[in-house]
Amino acid sequence: MRLTIDRAELLPPLQRIQGVVGSRTSMPILANCLLAAGEGGLSVVATNLEIGLRDRVAAEVEAPGRVCVAAKKLFEVVRELPEGEPVALEVVEERLTVRAGRTVTRLLGLPPEEFPALPEVDEGSGVTLPAETLARLLGQVAFAMSTDITRQTLGGVLFAYDGEGHLEAVATDGHRLALRRLEVEGGGEPFREIVPRKAVSEVRRLVEEGETPVEIRFAEKQALVRRGPLALVTRLIEGRFPEYQRAIPTTGKSLVVVDREAFARACRRVAVLAHEKTHQVELVVEPGQMVILTQNPELGEAREELEVALEGEPVHISFNAAYILDILNAMEGETVRLEMSGSGNPALFTEAEAADYLCVLMPMRL
């Protein structure tokens, strides 16, 4: 293998794969990336057997070939090369030589035949979304994914498509739920698949880099996320996602409308004195006013009053302030609507400006 490539072209794919490369593994090959040069340029591939990433960049290829080298060290080497210098890559007997200006680095390689092949996910159901739309969608639901390893089916985002243009993205950890509805073009077969937390994090990073439409496709317990020449393949979480529709309140005895940013600022200030493990704050809502308060026997107490609009019954309820802030930060409108039915039932958070996004939050015991 022998080629020449701009440093500015080579560095981004090497940086992208760092989140995928297996750092703690009994298979040394997974700490490596596969470089494959051919007529289409240079491909950079990495996998940890759960997630695989393939990117392709333009290069002047004099001789095709493949090699496996340490992904982290190659990235560090290229990152420190002088800007503006063309980078020459050459492989002789599974040893990669990197030249730029007066700098020469040689990295020992492994046989490319040992590198695991990424699964092919060319067929199957899927949708195509603008990158900005997918980034916004994931940002609005990802915070509600569970981190509890004993609740595997909750450790990701559910993508549910009805085959008629209606897509829902849902995440829940049992304490809170976030749901975003989206109208998509085209038909296609219905699907209901759970993308794991790690893959969701990698996809969020990838879609924030550009505006190219993103294709999401599901087949054979795998998902493919493709944006131009960049492709991510991930295993899906097997199992049944909870019937989340049952957790969404349909009616409420109290409707509170409050300025979103003012609510968030007040929660942050009061939560400074909340218990460091529970982050518990109380909301006392009466006509025209909501009081946010917390009492901590070890530190003291704090309270703040906000102007609100209340329809229905006054309410006294308690929540985890960190969960409230996650919801408020994910929302974008000026005002937030809280629908509640007493202190022991879940609350529904929606935006007056957007009917396609909602969150459900379980209360804490007063």
Side-chain angles (χ1 to χ4, degrees), residues 45-309:
V45 186
T47 182
N48 57 18
L49 299 184
E50 296 290 334
I51 304 173
L53 188 63
R54 179 192 294 113
D55 202 357
R56 179 175 289 274
V57 290
E60 297 180 10
V61 179
E62 298 179 34
R66 302 190 305 161
V67 68
C68 283
V69 292
K72 182 178 180 181
K73 288 303 176 184
L74 178 58
F75 168 63
E76 292 173 347
V77 167
V78 174
R79 183 184 59 191
E80 299 304 326
L81 293 177
E83 295 184 13
E85 290 282 354
V87 180
L89 303 180
E90 184 176 8
V91 176
V92 177
E93 296 181 352
E94 295 177 358
R95 178 174 294 193
L96 175 66
T97 300
V98 183
R99 300 176 186 271
R102 298 182 178 181
T103 302
V104 179
T105 304
R106 292 183 175 87
L107 295 173
L108 298 178
L110 293 174
E113 295 79 14
E114 296 182 7
F115 194 84
L118 298 190
E120 296 294 332
V121 192
D122 292 330
E123 303 296 332
S125 301
V127 294
T128 299
L129 301 173
E132 182 181 358
T133 299
L134 181 57
R136 180 169 172 253
L137 178 148
L138 293 177
Q140 289 180 315
V141 301
F143 69 87
M145 293 185 293
S146 175
T147 58
D148 186 348
I149 61 174
T150 65
R151 310 185 72 180
Q152 186 178 8
T153 57
L154 302 186
V157 171
L158 172 72
F159 287 83
Y161 179 63
D162 64 0
E164 299 180 356
H166 304 103
L167 176 69
E168 291 186 342
V170 191
T172 180
D173 61 4
H175 303 288
R176 54 201 171 156
L177 178 148
L179 182 152
R180 171 74 192 282
R181 298 187 175 98
L182 194 65
E183 300 292 326
V184 297
E185 296 182 0
E189 295 295 323
F191 56 80
R192 186 183 174 94
E193 304 287 359
I194 309 170
V195 178
R197 158 186 287 279
K198 177 63 174 175
V200 169
S201 299
E202 292 300 322
V203 171
R204 290 184 69 183
R205 278 193 281 268
L206 298 181
V207 298
E208 289 173 354
E209 294 181 6
E211 301 178 355
T212 308
V214 180
E215 177 189 6
I216 307 174
R217 192 161 296 280
F218 301 98
E220 298 297 328
K221 300 179 182 179
Q222 303 280 344
L224 167 69
V225 181
R226 181 160 48 203
R227 195 201 73 205
L230 180 61
L232 180 146
V233 179
T234 178
R235 288 184 183 177
L236 296 170
I237 294 177
E238 298 184 48
R240 185 175 180 83
F241 198 82
E243 295 297 330
Y244 57 91
Q245 295 91 344
R246 298 179 182 177
I248 302 172
T250 55
T251 59
K253 297 179 180 179
S254 309
L255 171 61
V256 180
V257 181
V258 59
D259 180 273
R260 180 177 66 88
E261 292 187 357
F263 190 12
R265 289 194 296 267
C267 274
R268 280 194 292 268
R269 286 190 285 262
V270 173
V272 170
L273 289 189
H275 193 282
E276 63 179 13
K277 291 185 178 180
T278 64
H279 307 288
Q280 183 171 3
V281 298
E282 300 176 31
L283 307 184
V284 181
V285 187
E286 298 176 344
Q289 174 182 278
M290 176 167 65
V291 178
I292 307 173
L293 59 94
T294 189
Q295 298 180 359
N296 188 328
E298 298 179 358
L299 295 175
E301 60 184 41
R303 59 178 283 144
E304 185 162 338
E305 299 177 1
L306 287 175
E307 292 185 2
V308 300

Side-chain angles (χ1 to χ4, degrees), residues 306-361:
L306 287 175
E307 292 185 2
V308 300
L310 171 64
E311 295 181 14
E313 303 176 1
V315 62
H316 182 189
I317 196 167
S318 179
F319 294 112
N320 183 319
Y323 291 173
I324 294 177
L325 289 171
D326 283 341
I327 292 172
L328 298 180
N329 291 337
M331 291 184 166
E332 300 170 348
E334 293 184 2
T335 59
V336 175
R337 296 161 51 96
L338 281 75
E339 297 181 53
M340 296 169 282
S341 295
S343 62
N345 296 307
L348 178 65
F349 288 67
T350 57
E351 296 179 276
E353 300 87 350
D356 58 0
Y357 180 50
L358 63 86
C359 297
V360 179
L361 182 58

